[in-house]
Amino acid sequence: MIMRKCEEFKLGISRLTTRRCLGAVAFMIIIYAIICYVIIDNSVDTKESTLVSANQSEERIELQAVEEIPADIPVPYKEGYADWECGNYYSNISLEAMEDYLQVLSREGWTNLQGEKVSVEAKAGTTFYQLTKEDRILQLITYLQEEELPMCNGILLRVDREVSLEEVLNRNKEIDQSKMLNRIQTVVDQKVQEKVIPSARQRILGLFEIYIKEAYEKLQLQAFAAISDRGYTGCFLVRKGVISYVKGSLDNALIVDIDQDGSFELVDLYSTWEAGLFKYDLLAYEYQTPILFSSLTEIPIMKYSNCFVPEGDYEELTLVKKGEEVRLLGEYVDYGTVTVQGQTLVLEDMEHFPYTRWATSYDQSFLFGIEKVIPKNPPDINISIQGIGLDYTVRETAWDGKAAQYTTSEALEEILAKETFLPTIEVRAFGSEDKNKTVVIDFGNSIPDSIHVTDAILDDGGKPLYGDKSIMNETVKILDDSKVSFELKQHMALYLSSNLEDYEKDWRRLFRVVCRFGEKECVYAFLINTGKEQQLTEITDHDFLECEDTYSMLSSSWGLGISIDTKKLPKRYSIEWQVGDGMIREWNDSTKKPIGITAQHNGYPATYSWDDNHGAILWNPTSFDKTVTVRAVIYEEEEKAPIAYADLVLTNEAGGYR
């Protein structure tokens, strides 16, 4: 029975190999393009189990996926393409191809907002177009440059949906974006000096107007997206001659009286990545005159806000206006009405919203308020991944008036010299729906005031793969008064490789945890191997692996015997034991004993004892809460790859197993 299952598993793997290799090539090309253009696709398919509305008692809004550029809108012939926050960029377009594209738009009935035909002559420099057809607005910017610039001979498109053309045409004294270019450039220059906008995006070449429904009617408000010679720069609100920079792309922006006080707010939702963590900012701006202003000038003041981090996989969220209320939609779920609670924006049913608030878990300012002991020396800590305790090194970098460096190469040399335990942790591929493994750091009663974690994937020479710029920052989550955590994911630098073999082998990952205690600073460093998690066949024949009679060797501990029927395995095999989601330990085929066991369960030591017939796993009963799973992973030695597994679930009651 088991042999047949193992053979079926291997046969399935061989059939899938070719398809997986082809799929891997296609996947790498996509990922490489994404990273090169610094584009983050924040839309991942949500499991079908979320198809039920978060609020069953209310009418559900129909949710539909929308393409960035609808199929019936022509796109130019191009050699390069990128999806920006403000639109779609098509690059390396010849003069002839640019004029051909303008002719296509003219033939298909696109006119300017006044109904006049489109000029089909491609002009040197930057040219703005606002075109309309069947109550849709297509904004177009062409670049035709003679000088060498990072962005040359390209076309940028933006399609505005659900915009009332009549409302746009009936606006009175609106500002044309060509007249706003220099004024917004002045604001950009100021924000670059304040280090709010990157200096690389400082030179503005063009603007798109962002049409926000009812914005001009109710607030006399216009919004613009600025595009530089190196990409999207940012969004700007213009009202009564005052220009204000706001974060995000304003694609979700709505005008509504969210707090029912008689004044309209601009409510917006946008996604960002912060140190490797995806999050959503939900904001409401109201135009007010600041108390310190001597004039009556009104500026957008952030009146309400909130920030959410997905508990599992992220999805694309959208704000919609239904009557006088604002609702938050997922890709398949209507999460309900957005309401005001104090100074924050919340959902009516937060209990079933699969996001946690950023401030309560990730804002490190909370670390200052935790009662702690200020250490005289760097404190001993406990670092674990899914129950596996990790060795580490520590170096004082700013301590008692002394300053020193502790580089990645120094940390690696010190760890290797100690010959510390180096585990292999298998992680899922990028974008997998399965949850990532978690790294937990326990500081005891001396939690730092700030914690910064860096993650370097190393090449064969021990240097960061693709250089220091590829070192990732990990976002730290505060668990309680002593522990923090971060997610262990595949390193993004891995996906820059065009070599298929790189995706199959293990990689060394060096983590540096920089901790500050007041004026003191130290760096903890630890090293692990990460490899691709295998998809294994589960052995369901319980005669292969079973729990035998219980017995006790120590008064404070008890054990469960495990027997294995080796006749049901390949002739040449080996076994790894995984206990409680971790603790991978080899099984010696000749001695029938495991090799090199060191581990912990939830912070308690785990003791092991074995005899020649079967293994007895001994725990203090408090070492796990209710159950723990013992997994036997079977390898065929010739293949050096796992082929199947079997599980035993043990309880914390003597004699308990199932």
Side-chain angles (χ1 to χ4, degrees), residues 199 252 509 597 628:
S199 59
N252 275 295
R509 301 272 289 276
I597 291 179
V628 67

Side-chain angles (χ1 to χ4, degrees), residues 54-220:
N55 193 336
Q56 296 284 359
S57 63
E58 299 186 25
E59 179 184 355
R60 183 181 168 191
I61 297 176
E62 188 67 24
L63 308 178
Q64 295 180 350
V66 181
E67 296 178 356
E68 285 297 319
I69 293 292
D72 60 340
I73 294 181
V75 296
Y77 176 81
K78 76 287 183 186
E79 293 185 17
Y81 166 80
D83 178 12
W84 290 352
E85 294 93 329
C86 57
N88 296 269
Y89 176 59
Y90 303 89
S91 59
N92 297 327
I93 301 175
S94 66
L95 172 63
E96 293 77 11
M98 194 173 292
E99 292 185 337
D100 287 344
Y101 177 63
L102 294 174
Q103 290 173 2
V104 169
L105 291 173
S106 180
R107 285 197 304 268
E108 294 191 4
W110 289 89
T111 64
N112 63 25
L113 295 185
Q114 287 71 39
E116 299 171 350
K117 289 186 176 181
V118 180
S119 171
V120 296
E121 178 186 359
K123 301 177 182 179
T126 304
T127 308
F128 309 89
Y129 301 84
Q130 284 187 311
L131 309 180
T132 180
K133 179 184 176 183
E134 300 173 353
D135 206 33
R136 283 196 294 185
I137 296 178
L138 173 65
Q139 297 190 68
L140 173 68
I141 299 177
T142 62
Y143 300 92
L144 189 58
Q145 308 288 351
E146 296 178 356
E147 58 180 312
E148 287 294 328
L149 289 174
M151 250 178 54
C152 294
N153 298 350
I155 294 177
L156 190 61
L157 299 181
R158 178 184 175 90
V159 181
D160 291 279
R161 306 176 184 85
E162 300 181 0
V163 174
S164 170
L165 181 60
E166 181 181 0
E167 179 184 333
V168 172
L169 294 176
N170 289 337
R171 295 185 303 182
N172 183 29
K173 296 182 180 180
E174 77 276 13
I175 301 173
D176 183 81
Q177 64 258 54
S178 61
K179 297 179 181 179
M180 287 300 303
L181 191 63
N182 291 334
R183 296 182 61 190
I184 288 181
Q185 179 67 71
T186 301
V187 179
V188 170
D189 294 341
Q190 177 185 348
K191 294 301 177 182
V192 169
Q193 291 181 356
E194 296 172 359
K195 299 187 183 303
V196 174
I197 294 176
S199 59
R201 306 291 177 92
Q202 183 171 0
R203 180 180 175 180
I204 301 300
L205 295 183
L207 298 174
F208 276 145
E209 183 167 359
I210 303 171
Y211 294 107
I212 304 172
K213 191 173 180 60
E214 299 182 312
Y216 199 81
E217 175 187 349
K218 294 182 175 179
L219 286 175
Q220 292 76 55

Side-chain angles (χ1 to χ4, degrees), residues 547-558:
C547 187
E548 295 185 342
D549 296 334
T550 62
Y551 60 94
S552 176
M553 295 181 63
L554 300 173
S555 59
S556 61
S557 301
W558 55 271

Side-chain angles (χ1 to χ4, degrees), residues 375-380 394-396 399 517 521-522 524:
K376 295 182 179 179
N377 300 302
D380 294 332
V394 60
R395 182 82 65 88
E396 298 174 359
W399 209 275
F517 307 84
E521 180 187 272
C522 65
Y524 299 89

Side-chain angles (χ1 to χ4, degrees), residues 412 457-465 502 505-508:
L412 177 62
I457 185 171
L458 307 180
D459 60 21
D460 293 338
K463 297 180 179 179
L465 190 66
D502 288 343
K505 69 180 184 179
D506 292 345
W507 287 91
R508 282 187 174 177

